[in-house]
Amino acid sequence: MIIGVTGSVGSGKTTIAKLFSKHHFSRIDADEIGHSLMKNNKEIKNKLVKNFGNEIIDGYKNISRKKLGDAVFNDYIKLKKLNSMMHPSIIEEIKNQINKIQKKCGEKTKIIIDAPLLLETDAKKTVNKIIVVKCDKKNVMKRLSKKYPKEKIERILNMQMPLDEKIKYADFVIENNGNLRNLERQVIEIIKRLNNKMSKT
């Protein structure tokens, strides 16, 4: 059973994926894979510098995610180019990690994939069920305000698939406007429903 969890930036996807991992789900984080590829894959690193310039390199000669973000989140065409460069490699690595987990734990093992752009890419083909995290914009803004200025958060949100559109693909929706206990309750309820379906097949 492979579950994908997605939602807008700042909605709490990673927190939810970690809650699933407490219930014996192996967690795969698409963002972590992307960061690792930027740091360790020379071909990708060179391609990014070629397309977005030396200004995205930090003082340690690594790709600065902040500088790269600043370069693309003002420009939809640049963001689309970045995604087209990164997503095939990220999806390939997701598949590799799924195979490793299934070889180690068996094909019926439970996996949760934390993927911000799950629905916008072929990553959705790797999952059996989709969870969309629903979070009020004011709470998203509040969570991200320590990290980004308001204008940047607005730009990022405007470039993402609208939440209403994402919900159309959802097998489950998690509401994340409350506390951690409320989140955990929803996660446990989804796991119960998944287990009931699996026991009937």
Side-chain angles (χ1 to χ4, degrees), residues 54-64 67:
N54 285 316
E55 58 267 27
I56 66 168
I57 297 290
D58 65 19
Y60 300 97
K61 297 188 177 177
N62 292 318
I63 302 289
S64 164
K67 290 178 180 179

Side-chain angles (χ1 to χ4, degrees), residues 5-131:
V5 58
T6 192
S8 66
V9 62
S11 59
K13 301 176 296 297
T14 301
T15 300
I16 288 162
K18 286 178 178 176
L19 287 173
F20 272 90
S21 68
K22 284 173 65 178
H23 294 272
H24 312 294
F25 278 73
S26 298
R27 184 172 70 92
I28 297 173
D29 188 316
D31 269 353
E32 284 180 8
I33 290 171
H35 300 159
S36 177
L37 288 169
M38 284 184 196
K39 188 175 181 181
N40 302 312
N41 187 307
K42 198 177 241 183
E43 186 183 339
I44 286 175
K45 186 176 174 181
N46 289 341
K47 206 184 284 187
L48 291 172
V49 172
K50 185 179 176 183
N51 280 272
F52 301 107
N54 285 316
E55 58 267 27
I56 66 168
I57 297 290
D58 65 19
Y60 300 97
K61 297 188 177 177
N62 292 318
I63 302 289
S64 164
R65 285 182 278 133
K66 184 185 182 304
K67 290 178 180 179
L68 182 59
D70 288 342
V72 301
F73 282 120
N74 289 318
D75 189 323
Y76 181 74
I77 293 169
K78 286 183 179 179
L79 179 61
K80 202 172 176 182
K81 183 186 278 189
L82 173 64
N83 288 341
S84 70
M85 289 164 60
M86 294 299 300
H87 287 161
S89 298
I90 291 171
I91 292 165
E92 186 182 346
E93 182 54 28
I94 287 173
K95 289 176 180 176
N96 288 340
Q97 291 193 21
I98 289 170
N99 288 334
K100 283 179 188 174
I101 292 165
Q102 289 178 336
K103 276 184 182 177
K104 185 180 177 183
C105 306
E107 286 198 8
K108 289 189 176 179
T109 192
K110 297 178 286 187
I111 299 170
I112 186 92
I113 301 175
D114 175 3
L117 297 179
L118 178 76
L119 300 174
E120 294 90 333
T121 68
D122 283 345
K124 60 182 172 288
K125 295 177 182 176
T126 64
V127 305
N128 305 118
K129 298 289 180 185
I130 292 168
I131 296 170

